[in-house]
PDB file of all heavy atoms in Angstrom:
ATOM      1  N   LEU I   1       0.827  -1.198  -0.006  1.00 59.00           N
ATOM      2  CA  LEU I   1      -0.011  -0.002  -0.012  1.00 59.00           C
ATOM      3  C   LEU I   1       0.881   1.255  -0.003  1.00 59.00           C
ATOM      4  O   LEU I   1       0.525   2.261  -0.590  1.00 59.00           O
ATOM      5  CB  LEU I   1      -0.933  -0.005   1.239  1.00 59.00           C
ATOM      6  CG  LEU I   1      -2.052  -1.025   1.191  1.00 59.00           C
ATOM      7  CD1 LEU I   1      -2.755  -1.024   2.563  1.00 59.00           C
ATOM      8  CD2 LEU I   1      -3.037  -0.749   0.078  1.00 59.00           C
ATOM      9  N   GLN I   2       2.027   1.186   0.689  1.00 52.00           N
ATOM     10  CA  GLN I   2       2.894   2.365   0.792  1.00 52.00           C
ATOM     11  C   GLN I   2       3.727   2.567  -0.444  1.00 52.00           C
ATOM     12  O   GLN I   2       4.012   3.732  -0.815  1.00 52.00           O
ATOM     13  CB  GLN I   2       3.734   2.238   2.033  1.00 52.00           C
ATOM     14  CG  GLN I   2       3.020   2.388   3.355  1.00 52.00           C
ATOM     15  CD  GLN I   2       3.921   2.219   4.545  1.00 52.00           C
ATOM     16  OE1 GLN I   2       5.036   1.707   4.425  1.00 52.00           O
ATOM     17  NE2 GLN I   2       3.427   2.604   5.720  1.00 52.00           N
ATOM     18  N   ARG I   3       4.177   1.526  -1.096  1.00 54.00           N
ATOM     19  CA  ARG I   3       5.133   1.642  -2.142  1.00 54.00           C
ATOM     20  C   ARG I   3       4.539   1.770  -3.529  1.00 54.00           C
ATOM     21  O   ARG I   3       5.013   2.467  -4.369  1.00 54.00           O
ATOM     22  CB  ARG I   3       6.123   0.474  -2.117  1.00 54.00           C
ATOM     23  CG  ARG I   3       6.969   0.488  -0.889  1.00 54.00           C
ATOM     24  CD  ARG I   3       8.058  -0.560  -0.940  1.00 54.00           C
ATOM     25  NE  ARG I   3       8.932  -0.406   0.212  1.00 54.00           N
ATOM     26  CZ  ARG I   3       9.882   0.453   0.324  1.00 54.00           C
ATOM     27  NH1 ARG I   3      10.161   1.265  -0.681  1.00 54.00           N
ATOM     28  NH2 ARG I   3      10.616   0.521   1.446  1.00 54.00           N
ATOM     29  N   GLU I   4       3.508   0.972  -3.792  1.00 54.00           N
ATOM     30  CA  GLU I   4       2.889   1.049  -5.132  1.00 54.00           C
ATOM     31  C   GLU I   4       1.442   0.637  -4.943  1.00 54.00           C
ATOM     32  O   GLU I   4       1.141  -0.351  -4.326  1.00 54.00           O
ATOM     33  CB  GLU I   4       3.587   0.085  -6.089  1.00 54.00           C
ATOM     34  CG  GLU I   4       2.980   0.113  -7.496  1.00 54.00           C
ATOM     35  CD  GLU I   4       3.674  -0.810  -8.463  1.00 54.00           C
ATOM     36  OE1 GLU I   4       4.676  -1.363  -8.098  1.00 54.00           O
ATOM     37  OE2 GLU I   4       3.181  -0.942  -9.597  1.00 54.00           O
ATOM     38  N   ASN I   5       0.515   1.381  -5.570  1.00 60.00           N
ATOM     39  CA  ASN I   5      -0.884   1.159  -5.349  1.00 60.00           C
ATOM     40  C   ASN I   5      -1.289  -0.244  -5.844  1.00 60.00           C
ATOM     41  O   ASN I   5      -1.036  -0.630  -6.961  1.00 60.00           O
ATOM     42  CB  ASN I   5      -1.711   2.157  -6.122  1.00 60.00           C
ATOM     43  CG  ASN I   5      -1.637   3.547  -5.533  1.00 60.00           C
ATOM     44  OD1 ASN I   5      -1.391   3.701  -4.352  1.00 60.00           O
ATOM     45  ND2 ASN I   5      -1.827   4.554  -6.350  1.00 60.00           N
ATOM     46  N   LEU I   6      -1.904  -1.007  -4.931  1.00 70.00           N
ATOM     47  CA  LEU I   6      -2.528  -2.227  -5.309  1.00 70.00           C
ATOM     48  C   LEU I   6      -3.821  -1.896  -6.020  1.00 70.00           C
ATOM     49  O   LEU I   6      -4.430  -0.844  -5.770  1.00 70.00           O
ATOM     50  CB  LEU I   6      -2.871  -3.081  -4.072  1.00 70.00           C
ATOM     51  CG  LEU I   6      -1.715  -3.653  -3.257  1.00 70.00           C
ATOM     52  CD1 LEU I   6      -2.264  -4.227  -1.959  1.00 70.00           C
ATOM     53  CD2 LEU I   6      -0.976  -4.661  -4.020  1.00 70.00           C
ATOM     54  N   ASN I   7      -4.270  -2.770  -6.939  1.00 81.00           N
ATOM     55  CA  ASN I   7      -5.628  -2.511  -7.453  1.00 81.00           C
ATOM     56  C   ASN I   7      -6.634  -2.862  -6.361  1.00 81.00           C
ATOM     57  O   ASN I   7      -6.287  -3.496  -5.368  1.00 81.00           O
ATOM     58  CB  ASN I   7      -5.904  -3.255  -8.784  1.00 81.00           C
ATOM     59  CG  ASN I   7      -5.957  -4.718  -8.649  1.00 81.00           C
ATOM     60  OD1 ASN I   7      -6.675  -5.291  -7.794  1.00 81.00           O
ATOM     61  ND2 ASN I   7      -5.188  -5.455  -9.465  1.00 81.00           N
ATOM     62  N   ALA I   8      -7.860  -2.433  -6.538  1.00 87.00           N
ATOM     63  CA  ALA I   8      -8.844  -2.510  -5.451  1.00 87.00           C
ATOM     64  C   ALA I   8      -9.111  -3.912  -5.000  1.00 87.00           C
ATOM     65  O   ALA I   8      -9.313  -4.187  -3.790  1.00 87.00           O
ATOM     66  CB  ALA I   8     -10.152  -1.833  -5.904  1.00 87.00           C
ATOM     67  N   VAL I   9      -9.145  -4.882  -5.920  1.00 89.00           N
ATOM     68  CA  VAL I   9      -9.398  -6.289  -5.561  1.00 89.00           C
ATOM     69  C   VAL I   9      -8.246  -6.880  -4.779  1.00 89.00           C
ATOM     70  O   VAL I   9      -8.427  -7.566  -3.772  1.00 89.00           O
ATOM     71  CB  VAL I   9      -9.697  -7.131  -6.827  1.00 89.00           C
ATOM     72  CG1 VAL I   9      -9.667  -8.594  -6.496  1.00 89.00           C
ATOM     73  CG2 VAL I   9     -11.066  -6.748  -7.381  1.00 89.00           C
ATOM     74  N   GLU I  10      -7.005  -6.571  -5.210  1.00 84.00           N
ATOM     75  CA  GLU I  10      -5.858  -7.092  -4.494  1.00 84.00           C
ATOM     76  C   GLU I  10      -5.820  -6.547  -3.048  1.00 84.00           C
ATOM     77  O   GLU I  10      -5.528  -7.251  -2.108  1.00 84.00           O
ATOM     78  CB  GLU I  10      -4.567  -6.677  -5.189  1.00 84.00           C
ATOM     79  CG  GLU I  10      -4.341  -7.420  -6.526  1.00 84.00           C
ATOM     80  CD  GLU I  10      -3.184  -6.882  -7.299  1.00 84.00           C
ATOM     81  OE1 GLU I  10      -2.891  -5.656  -7.203  1.00 84.00           O
ATOM     82  OE2 GLU I  10      -2.553  -7.655  -8.030  1.00 84.00           O
ATOM     83  N   LYS I  11      -6.133  -5.285  -2.915  1.00 84.00           N
ATOM     84  CA  LYS I  11      -6.175  -4.661  -1.591  1.00 84.00           C
ATOM     85  C   LYS I  11      -7.250  -5.305  -0.725  1.00 84.00           C
ATOM     86  O   LYS I  11      -7.005  -5.650   0.452  1.00 84.00           O
ATOM     87  CB  LYS I  11      -6.459  -3.150  -1.739  1.00 84.00           C
ATOM     88  CG  LYS I  11      -6.632  -2.429  -0.424  1.00 84.00           C
ATOM     89  CD  LYS I  11      -6.904  -0.965  -0.665  1.00 84.00           C
ATOM     90  CE  LYS I  11      -7.166  -0.210   0.636  1.00 84.00           C
ATOM     91  NZ  LYS I  11      -7.473   1.208   0.407  1.00 84.00           N
ATOM     92  N   ALA I  12      -8.435  -5.495  -1.260  1.00 89.00           N
ATOM     93  CA  ALA I  12      -9.527  -6.134  -0.496  1.00 89.00           C
ATOM     94  C   ALA I  12      -9.190  -7.545  -0.070  1.00 89.00           C
ATOM     95  O   ALA I  12      -9.430  -7.933   1.079  1.00 89.00           O
ATOM     96  CB  ALA I  12     -10.790  -6.118  -1.346  1.00 89.00           C
ATOM     97  N   GLU I  13      -8.615  -8.330  -0.958  1.00 86.00           N
ATOM     98  CA  GLU I  13      -8.282  -9.709  -0.631  1.00 86.00           C
ATOM     99  C   GLU I  13      -7.146  -9.767   0.437  1.00 86.00           C
ATOM    100  O   GLU I  13      -7.170 -10.608   1.322  1.00 86.00           O
ATOM    101  CB  GLU I  13      -7.894 -10.481  -1.901  1.00 86.00           C
ATOM    102  CG  GLU I  13      -9.073 -10.694  -2.820  1.00 86.00           C
ATOM    103  CD  GLU I  13      -8.685 -11.325  -4.156  1.00 86.00           C
ATOM    104  OE1 GLU I  13      -7.530 -11.168  -4.566  1.00 86.00           O
ATOM    105  OE2 GLU I  13      -9.557 -11.949  -4.743  1.00 86.00           O
ATOM    106  N   GLY I  14      -6.210  -8.877   0.329  1.00 82.00           N
ATOM    107  CA  GLY I  14      -5.148  -8.789   1.304  1.00 82.00           C
ATOM    108  C   GLY I  14      -5.691  -8.411   2.687  1.00 82.00           C
ATOM    109  O   GLY I  14      -5.314  -9.012   3.705  1.00 82.00           O
ATOM    110  N   MET I  15      -6.609  -7.449   2.702  1.00 86.00           N
ATOM    111  CA  MET I  15      -7.202  -7.018   3.973  1.00 86.00           C
ATOM    112  C   MET I  15      -8.003  -8.162   4.618  1.00 86.00           C
ATOM    113  O   MET I  15      -7.976  -8.373   5.820  1.00 86.00           O
ATOM    114  CB  MET I  15      -8.112  -5.821   3.725  1.00 86.00           C
ATOM    115  CG  MET I  15      -7.345  -4.546   3.420  1.00 86.00           C
ATOM    116  SD  MET I  15      -8.406  -3.166   2.888  1.00 86.00           S
ATOM    117  CE  MET I  15      -9.383  -2.896   4.372  1.00 86.00           C
ATOM    118  N   LEU I  16      -8.720  -8.922   3.785  1.00 88.00           N
ATOM    119  CA  LEU I  16      -9.542 -10.012   4.312  1.00 88.00           C
ATOM    120  C   LEU I  16      -8.642 -11.096   4.917  1.00 88.00           C
ATOM    121  O   LEU I  16      -8.985 -11.671   5.966  1.00 88.00           O
ATOM    122  CB  LEU I  16     -10.398 -10.613   3.211  1.00 88.00           C
ATOM    123  CG  LEU I  16     -11.345 -11.716   3.614  1.00 88.00           C
ATOM    124  CD1 LEU I  16     -12.366 -11.203   4.670  1.00 88.00           C
ATOM    125  CD2 LEU I  16     -12.082 -12.306   2.406  1.00 88.00           C
ATOM    126  N   ARG I  17      -7.505 -11.387   4.270  1.00 82.00           N
ATOM    127  CA  ARG I  17      -6.598 -12.384   4.856  1.00 82.00           C
ATOM    128  C   ARG I  17      -6.073 -11.962   6.217  1.00 82.00           C
ATOM    129  O   ARG I  17      -5.978 -12.738   7.134  1.00 82.00           O
ATOM    130  CB  ARG I  17      -5.410 -12.618   3.864  1.00 82.00           C
ATOM    131  CG  ARG I  17      -5.726 -13.541   2.734  1.00 82.00           C
ATOM    132  CD  ARG I  17      -4.469 -14.004   2.046  1.00 82.00           C
ATOM    133  NE  ARG I  17      -3.725 -12.924   1.438  1.00 82.00           N
ATOM    134  CZ  ARG I  17      -3.920 -12.497   0.203  1.00 82.00           C
ATOM    135  NH1 ARG I  17      -4.887 -13.061  -0.552  1.00 82.00           N
ATOM    136  NH2 ARG I  17      -3.228 -11.525  -0.293  1.00 82.00           N
ATOM    137  N   VAL I  18      -5.703 -10.675   6.317  1.00 81.00           N
ATOM    138  CA  VAL I  18      -5.217 -10.178   7.617  1.00 81.00           C
ATOM    139  C   VAL I  18      -6.333 -10.250   8.647  1.00 81.00           C
ATOM    140  O   VAL I  18      -6.102 -10.679   9.802  1.00 81.00           O
ATOM    141  CB  VAL I  18      -4.723  -8.716   7.467  1.00 81.00           C
ATOM    142  CG1 VAL I  18      -4.409  -8.125   8.836  1.00 81.00           C
ATOM    143  CG2 VAL I  18      -3.499  -8.646   6.557  1.00 81.00           C
ATOM    144  N   GLN I  19      -7.544  -9.848   8.316  1.00 85.00           N
ATOM    145  CA  GLN I  19      -8.654  -9.863   9.252  1.00 85.00           C
ATOM    146  C   GLN I  19      -8.955 -11.309   9.724  1.00 85.00           C
ATOM    147  O   GLN I  19      -9.157 -11.556  10.939  1.00 85.00           O
ATOM    148  CB  GLN I  19      -9.911  -9.275   8.629  1.00 85.00           C
ATOM    149  CG  GLN I  19     -11.080  -9.210   9.623  1.00 85.00           C
ATOM    150  CD  GLN I  19     -12.352  -8.665   9.005  1.00 85.00           C
ATOM    151  OE1 GLN I  19     -12.674  -8.967   7.858  1.00 85.00           O
ATOM    152  NE2 GLN I  19     -13.041  -7.830   9.753  1.00 85.00           N
ATOM    153  N   ASN I  20      -8.927 -12.258   8.799  1.00 85.00           N
ATOM    154  CA  ASN I  20      -9.247 -13.662   9.147  1.00 85.00           C
ATOM    155  C   ASN I  20      -8.153 -14.225  10.035  1.00 85.00           C
ATOM    156  O   ASN I  20      -8.467 -14.940  11.015  1.00 85.00           O
ATOM    157  CB  ASN I  20      -9.407 -14.490   7.895  1.00 85.00           C
ATOM    158  CG  ASN I  20     -10.688 -14.192   7.139  1.00 85.00           C
ATOM    159  OD1 ASN I  20     -11.614 -13.620   7.713  1.00 85.00           O
ATOM    160  ND2 ASN I  20     -10.742 -14.537   5.860  1.00 85.00           N
ATOM    161  N   LYS I  21      -6.902 -13.942   9.747  1.00 79.00           N
ATOM    162  CA  LYS I  21      -5.825 -14.506  10.536  1.00 79.00           C
ATOM    163  C   LYS I  21      -5.735 -13.884  11.930  1.00 79.00           C
ATOM    164  O   LYS I  21      -5.360 -14.555  12.896  1.00 79.00           O
ATOM    165  CB  LYS I  21      -4.487 -14.338   9.816  1.00 79.00           C
ATOM    166  CG  LYS I  21      -4.339 -15.286   8.630  1.00 79.00           C
ATOM    167  CD  LYS I  21      -2.894 -15.375   8.174  1.00 79.00           C
ATOM    168  CE  LYS I  21      -2.743 -16.465   7.128  1.00 79.00           C
ATOM    169  NZ  LYS I  21      -1.359 -16.678   6.681  1.00 79.00           N
ATOM    170  N   ARG I  22      -6.103 -12.641  12.015  1.00 79.00           N
ATOM    171  CA  ARG I  22      -6.076 -11.954  13.327  1.00 79.00           C
ATOM    172  C   ARG I  22      -7.390 -11.993  14.071  1.00 79.00           C
ATOM    173  O   ARG I  22      -7.442 -11.618  15.236  1.00 79.00           O
ATOM    174  CB  ARG I  22      -5.644 -10.478  13.127  1.00 79.00           C
ATOM    175  CG  ARG I  22      -4.146 -10.312  12.836  1.00 79.00           C
ATOM    176  CD  ARG I  22      -3.758  -8.901  13.125  1.00 79.00           C
ATOM    177  NE  ARG I  22      -2.311  -8.777  13.154  1.00 79.00           N
ATOM    178  CZ  ARG I  22      -1.622  -8.288  14.168  1.00 79.00           C
ATOM    179  NH1 ARG I  22      -2.244  -7.895  15.267  1.00 79.00           N
ATOM    180  NH2 ARG I  22      -0.329  -8.141  14.121  1.00 79.00           N
ATOM    181  N   SER I  23      -8.439 -12.468  13.393  1.00 85.00           N
ATOM    182  CA  SER I  23      -9.774 -12.504  13.983  1.00 85.00           C
ATOM    183  C   SER I  23     -10.135 -11.132  14.595  1.00 85.00           C
ATOM    184  O   SER I  23     -10.564 -11.053  15.755  1.00 85.00           O
ATOM    185  CB  SER I  23      -9.850 -13.595  15.048  1.00 85.00           C
ATOM    186  OG  SER I  23      -9.588 -14.857  14.480  1.00 85.00           O
ATOM    187  N   CYS I  24      -9.920 -10.101  13.820  1.00 86.00           N
ATOM    188  CA  CYS I  24     -10.140  -8.738  14.347  1.00 86.00           C
ATOM    189  C   CYS I  24     -11.378  -8.111  13.725  1.00 86.00           C
ATOM    190  O   CYS I  24     -11.872  -8.561  12.707  1.00 86.00           O
ATOM    191  CB  CYS I  24      -8.929  -7.863  14.083  1.00 86.00           C
ATOM    192  SG  CYS I  24      -8.478  -7.655  12.345  1.00 86.00           S
ATOM    193  N   THR I  25     -11.879  -7.087  14.382  1.00 90.00           N
ATOM    194  CA  THR I  25     -13.021  -6.325  13.882  1.00 90.00           C
ATOM    195  C   THR I  25     -12.556  -5.392  12.757  1.00 90.00           C
ATOM    196  O   THR I  25     -11.356  -5.205  12.555  1.00 90.00           O
ATOM    197  CB  THR I  25     -13.659  -5.514  15.011  1.00 90.00           C
ATOM    198  OG1 THR I  25     -12.726  -4.502  15.421  1.00 90.00           O
ATOM    199  CG2 THR I  25     -14.057  -6.362  16.192  1.00 90.00           C
ATOM    200  N   GLN I  26     -13.513  -4.798  12.102  1.00 90.00           N
ATOM    201  CA  GLN I  26     -13.168  -3.814  11.058  1.00 90.00           C
ATOM    202  C   GLN I  26     -12.490  -2.602  11.643  1.00 90.00           C
ATOM    203  O   GLN I  26     -11.587  -2.019  11.008  1.00 90.00           O
ATOM    204  CB  GLN I  26     -14.421  -3.437  10.282  1.00 90.00           C
ATOM    205  CG  GLN I  26     -14.977  -4.555   9.438  1.00 90.00           C
ATOM    206  CD  GLN I  26     -16.129  -4.144   8.560  1.00 90.00           C
ATOM    207  OE1 GLN I  26     -16.577  -3.005   8.587  1.00 90.00           O
ATOM    208  NE2 GLN I  26     -16.633  -5.088   7.765  1.00 90.00           N
ATOM    209  N   ASP I  27     -12.914  -2.181  12.820  1.00 90.00           N
ATOM    210  CA  ASP I  27     -12.210  -1.079  13.516  1.00 90.00           C
ATOM    211  C   ASP I  27     -10.751  -1.423  13.773  1.00 90.00           C
ATOM    212  O   ASP I  27      -9.830  -0.591  13.522  1.00 90.00           O
ATOM    213  CB  ASP I  27     -12.901  -0.730  14.817  1.00 90.00           C
ATOM    214  CG  ASP I  27     -14.168   0.097  14.606  1.00 90.00           C
ATOM    215  OD1 ASP I  27     -14.197   0.879  13.646  1.00 90.00           O
ATOM    216  OD2 ASP I  27     -15.096  -0.062  15.421  1.00 90.00           O
ATOM    217  N   GLU I  28     -10.520  -2.622  14.293  1.00 86.00           N
ATOM    218  CA  GLU I  28      -9.167  -3.054  14.622  1.00 86.00           C
ATOM    219  C   GLU I  28      -8.329  -3.226  13.358  1.00 86.00           C
ATOM    220  O   GLU I  28      -7.162  -2.867  13.317  1.00 86.00           O
ATOM    221  CB  GLU I  28      -9.213  -4.380  15.399  1.00 86.00           C
ATOM    222  CG  GLU I  28      -9.802  -4.230  16.794  1.00 86.00           C
ATOM    223  CD  GLU I  28     -10.136  -5.543  17.434  1.00 86.00           C
ATOM    224  OE1 GLU I  28     -10.294  -6.577  16.682  1.00 86.00           O
ATOM    225  OE2 GLU I  28     -10.220  -5.626  18.666  1.00 86.00           O
ATOM    226  N   LEU I  29      -8.942  -3.717  12.291  1.00 85.00           N
ATOM    227  CA  LEU I  29      -8.222  -3.877  11.004  1.00 85.00           C
ATOM    228  C   LEU I  29      -7.805  -2.507  10.488  1.00 85.00           C
ATOM    229  O   LEU I  29      -6.682  -2.311   9.998  1.00 85.00           O
ATOM    230  CB  LEU I  29      -9.112  -4.633   9.994  1.00 85.00           C
ATOM    231  CG  LEU I  29      -8.487  -4.840   8.623  1.00 85.00           C
ATOM    232  CD1 LEU I  29      -7.237  -5.693   8.703  1.00 85.00           C
ATOM    233  CD2 LEU I  29      -9.520  -5.479   7.676  1.00 85.00           C
ATOM    234  N   GLY I  30      -8.709  -1.543  10.550  1.00 85.00           N
ATOM    235  CA  GLY I  30      -8.386  -0.183  10.112  1.00 85.00           C
ATOM    236  C   GLY I  30      -7.224   0.413  10.869  1.00 85.00           C
ATOM    237  O   GLY I  30      -6.350   1.042  10.285  1.00 85.00           O
ATOM    238  N   ALA I  31      -7.179   0.172  12.167  1.00 82.00           N
ATOM    239  CA  ALA I  31      -6.074   0.681  13.013  1.00 82.00           C
ATOM    240  C   ALA I  31      -4.734  -0.001  12.592  1.00 82.00           C
ATOM    241  O   ALA I  31      -3.703   0.658  12.531  1.00 82.00           O
ATOM    242  CB  ALA I  31      -6.373   0.454  14.471  1.00 82.00           C
ATOM    243  N   LEU I  32      -4.796  -1.305  12.347  1.00 76.00           N
ATOM    244  CA  LEU I  32      -3.586  -2.068  11.934  1.00 76.00           C
ATOM    245  C   LEU I  32      -3.013  -1.491  10.610  1.00 76.00           C
ATOM    246  O   LEU I  32      -1.793  -1.461  10.436  1.00 76.00           O
ATOM    247  CB  LEU I  32      -3.906  -3.525  11.746  1.00 76.00           C
ATOM    248  CG  LEU I  32      -4.074  -4.375  12.998  1.00 76.00           C
ATOM    249  CD1 LEU I  32      -4.584  -5.756  12.634  1.00 76.00           C
ATOM    250  CD2 LEU I  32      -2.772  -4.473  13.773  1.00 76.00           C
ATOM    251  N   LEU I  33      -3.882  -1.047   9.724  1.00 75.00           N
ATOM    252  CA  LEU I  33      -3.445  -0.629   8.410  1.00 75.00           C
ATOM    253  C   LEU I  33      -3.252   0.867   8.317  1.00 75.00           C
ATOM    254  O   LEU I  33      -3.325   1.435   7.225  1.00 75.00           O
ATOM    255  CB  LEU I  33      -4.457  -1.120   7.354  1.00 75.00           C
ATOM    256  CG  LEU I  33      -4.658  -2.618   7.314  1.00 75.00           C
ATOM    257  CD1 LEU I  33      -5.714  -2.991   6.251  1.00 75.00           C
ATOM    258  CD2 LEU I  33      -3.327  -3.308   7.003  1.00 75.00           C
ATOM    259  N   GLY I  34      -3.038   1.511   9.421  1.00 69.00           N
ATOM    260  CA  GLY I  34      -2.631   2.920   9.370  1.00 69.00           C
ATOM    261  C   GLY I  34      -3.745   3.906   9.605  1.00 69.00           C
ATOM    262  O   GLY I  34      -3.700   5.035   9.111  1.00 69.00           O
ATOM    263  N   GLY I  35      -4.810   3.487  10.305  1.00 73.00           N
ATOM    264  CA  GLY I  35      -5.832   4.436  10.652  1.00 73.00           C
ATOM    265  C   GLY I  35      -6.942   4.527   9.644  1.00 73.00           C
ATOM    266  O   GLY I  35      -7.595   5.607   9.545  1.00 73.00           O
ATOM    267  N   MET I  36      -7.227   3.502   8.878  1.00 82.00           N
ATOM    268  CA  MET I  36      -8.387   3.517   7.968  1.00 82.00           C
ATOM    269  C   MET I  36      -9.667   3.519   8.783  1.00 82.00           C
ATOM    270  O   MET I  36      -9.764   2.872   9.832  1.00 82.00           O
ATOM    271  CB  MET I  36      -8.390   2.257   7.079  1.00 82.00           C
ATOM    272  CG  MET I  36      -7.311   2.206   6.026  1.00 82.00           C
ATOM    273  SD  MET I  36      -7.391   0.681   5.052  1.00 82.00           S
ATOM    274  CE  MET I  36      -8.976   0.893   4.209  1.00 82.00           C
ATOM    275  N   THR I  37     -10.650   4.268   8.346  1.00 89.00           N
ATOM    276  CA  THR I  37     -11.920   4.304   9.049  1.00 89.00           C
ATOM    277  C   THR I  37     -12.677   2.991   8.850  1.00 89.00           C
ATOM    278  O   THR I  37     -12.434   2.272   7.876  1.00 89.00           O
ATOM    279  CB  THR I  37     -12.807   5.464   8.543  1.00 89.00           C
ATOM    280  OG1 THR I  37     -13.128   5.242   7.160  1.00 89.00           O
ATOM    281  CG2 THR I  37     -12.080   6.789   8.671  1.00 89.00           C
ATOM    282  N   LYS I  38     -13.629   2.726   9.734  1.00 89.00           N
ATOM    283  CA  LYS I  38     -14.438   1.522   9.648  1.00 89.00           C
ATOM    284  C   LYS I  38     -15.200   1.484   8.304  1.00 89.00           C
ATOM    285  O   LYS I  38     -15.319   0.432   7.662  1.00 89.00           O
ATOM    286  CB  LYS I  38     -15.409   1.412  10.814  1.00 89.00           C
ATOM    287  CG  LYS I  38     -16.243   0.137  10.795  1.00 89.00           C
ATOM    288  CD  LYS I  38     -17.161   0.078  12.005  1.00 89.00           C
ATOM    289  CE  LYS I  38     -18.021  -1.220  11.952  1.00 89.00           C
ATOM    290  NZ  LYS I  38     -18.906  -1.299  13.114  1.00 89.00           N
ATOM    291  N   SER I  39     -15.726   2.630   7.886  1.00 91.00           N
ATOM    292  CA  SER I  39     -16.479   2.664   6.648  1.00 91.00           C
ATOM    293  C   SER I  39     -15.577   2.361   5.435  1.00 91.00           C
ATOM    294  O   SER I  39     -15.988   1.646   4.502  1.00 91.00           O
ATOM    295  CB  SER I  39     -17.142   4.050   6.461  1.00 91.00           C
ATOM    296  OG  SER I  39     -16.204   5.076   6.398  1.00 91.00           O
ATOM    297  N   SER I  40     -14.327   2.872   5.458  1.00 90.00           N
ATOM    298  CA  SER I  40     -13.390   2.566   4.350  1.00 90.00           C
ATOM    299  C   SER I  40     -13.038   1.073   4.333  1.00 90.00           C
ATOM    300  O   SER I  40     -12.942   0.503   3.256  1.00 90.00           O
ATOM    301  CB  SER I  40     -12.115   3.409   4.538  1.00 90.00           C
ATOM    302  OG  SER I  40     -12.384   4.782   4.400  1.00 90.00           O
ATOM    303  N   VAL I  41     -12.864   0.525   5.519  1.00 91.00           N
ATOM    304  CA  VAL I  41     -12.555  -0.912   5.606  1.00 91.00           C
ATOM    305  C   VAL I  41     -13.719  -1.728   5.047  1.00 91.00           C
ATOM    306  O   VAL I  41     -13.569  -2.638   4.231  1.00 91.00           O
ATOM    307  CB  VAL I  41     -12.239  -1.318   7.048  1.00 91.00           C
ATOM    308  CG1 VAL I  41     -12.170  -2.837   7.171  1.00 91.00           C
ATOM    309  CG2 VAL I  41     -10.922  -0.667   7.503  1.00 91.00           C
ATOM    310  N   SER I  42     -14.939  -1.336   5.461  1.00 93.00           N
ATOM    311  CA  SER I  42     -16.141  -2.041   5.043  1.00 93.00           C
ATOM    312  C   SER I  42     -16.288  -1.966   3.538  1.00 93.00           C
ATOM    313  O   SER I  42     -16.620  -2.965   2.865  1.00 93.00           O
ATOM    314  CB  SER I  42     -17.376  -1.457   5.717  1.00 93.00           C
ATOM    315  OG  SER I  42     -18.551  -2.099   5.278  1.00 93.00           O
ATOM    316  N   GLU I  43     -16.060  -0.787   2.930  1.00 93.00           N
ATOM    317  CA  GLU I  43     -16.197  -0.639   1.508  1.00 93.00           C
ATOM    318  C   GLU I  43     -15.169  -1.498   0.773  1.00 93.00           C
ATOM    319  O   GLU I  43     -15.523  -2.166  -0.217  1.00 93.00           O
ATOM    320  CB  GLU I  43     -15.999   0.836   1.115  1.00 93.00           C
ATOM    321  CG  GLU I  43     -17.154   1.737   1.488  1.00 93.00           C
ATOM    322  CD  GLU I  43     -16.909   3.183   1.162  1.00 93.00           C
ATOM    323  OE1 GLU I  43     -15.743   3.556   0.971  1.00 93.00           O
ATOM    324  OE2 GLU I  43     -17.917   3.929   1.103  1.00 93.00           O
ATOM    325  N   SER I  44     -13.952  -1.509   1.267  1.00 92.00           N
ATOM    326  CA  SER I  44     -12.935  -2.327   0.574  1.00 92.00           C
ATOM    327  C   SER I  44     -13.242  -3.807   0.675  1.00 92.00           C
ATOM    328  O   SER I  44     -13.177  -4.530  -0.305  1.00 92.00           O
ATOM    329  CB  SER I  44     -11.531  -2.069   1.221  1.00 92.00           C
ATOM    330  OG  SER I  44     -11.060  -0.778   0.872  1.00 92.00           O
TER     331      SER I  44
END
């Protein structure tokens, strides 16, 4: 995410893998990824 933009699907799938492995909420996932809001996480 920091070095080169992922396309939207790659980003979403990567986020889902992190969420599943960490068993975290959307709020917690957003915090892990640099302060994304819950709505942004949900949309992705």
Side-chain angles (χ1 to χ4, degrees):
L1 290 174
Q2 290 179 345
R3 293 187 175 279
E4 181 180 353
N5 291 333
L6 294 170
N7 68 51
V9 167
E10 290 172 330
K11 176 181 176 181
E13 291 175 334
M15 289 171 64
L16 184 62
R17 280 195 296 271
V18 172
Q19 184 182 39
N20 288 340
K21 286 196 173 184
R22 285 200 167 235
S23 299
C24 59
T25 66
Q26 291 185 358
D27 281 329
E28 292 167 339
L29 180 60
L32 284 173
L33 299 179
M36 290 180 65
T37 64
K38 182 179 179 180
S39 61
S40 295
V41 171
S42 178
E43 287 178 342
S44 290

